[in-house]
Amino acid sequence: MTDESPRPEHGPTERDVQREVSELEGKSATAARIFDLRRIIGGLFVVYGIIVTITGITDSQAAIDKAEGVNINLWTGIGMLILGVFFLAWLKLRPTPPPLPAEDAGEEDPVH
């Protein structure tokens, strides 16, 4: 004799499968929004742009003279900041679309 509880003979019900699929779809959509490349690229460009801009502001005259009179760190940092803000604004203005409902995702278009 064992202490195991009896197992159902037919496995999970259709309702259980649908609930699990909808939970996984929700997690997938959340992960897609979190790991959107625009967020990663924009965030990195903003962070590095701030660092390079501060470096450009605090550069010595000798470093500026080395670049033939152009404060290259300042201009590169400002460009990186603009690009990073562009990516983040793009993400805000055009967010990732939500996934298709489960009924539509499984259907295929017949070729006529």
Side-chain angles (χ1 to χ4, degrees):
M1 292 193 171
T2 61
D3 291 336
E4 295 178 349
S5 61
R7 293 185 181 181
E9 295 179 19
H10 300 289
T13 65
E14 182 70 25
R15 175 176 254 161
D16 293 337
V17 172
Q18 287 177 351
R19 186 184 63 224
E20 187 172 340
V21 166
S22 62
E23 287 174 5
L24 289 174
E25 284 176 346
K27 290 177 183 178
S28 175
T30 302
R33 281 193 285 286
I34 290 172
F35 295 111
D36 191 343
L37 286 178
R38 296 174 292 180
R39 180 184 315 261
I40 295 168
I41 292 171
L44 285 174
F45 267 99
V46 166
V47 169
Y48 290 142
I50 290 170
I51 293 169
V52 175
T53 301
I54 291 171
T55 303
I57 291 171
T58 60
D59 267 348
S60 66
Q61 189 60 40
I64 295 172
D65 291 340
K66 188 187 277 188
E68 297 187 16
V70 177
N71 194 343
I72 194 72
N73 286 332
L74 180 63
W75 290 109
T76 303
I78 291 171
M80 292 173 80
L81 279 171
I82 290 170
L83 184 63
V85 168
F86 167 76
F87 271 96
L88 294 176
W90 180 20
L91 176 68
K92 186 72 172 172
L93 296 174
R94 306 242 357 207
T96 305
L100 296 173
E103 299 89 35
D104 297 340
E107 297 176 5
E108 295 182 17
D109 283 337
V111 178
H112 294 283

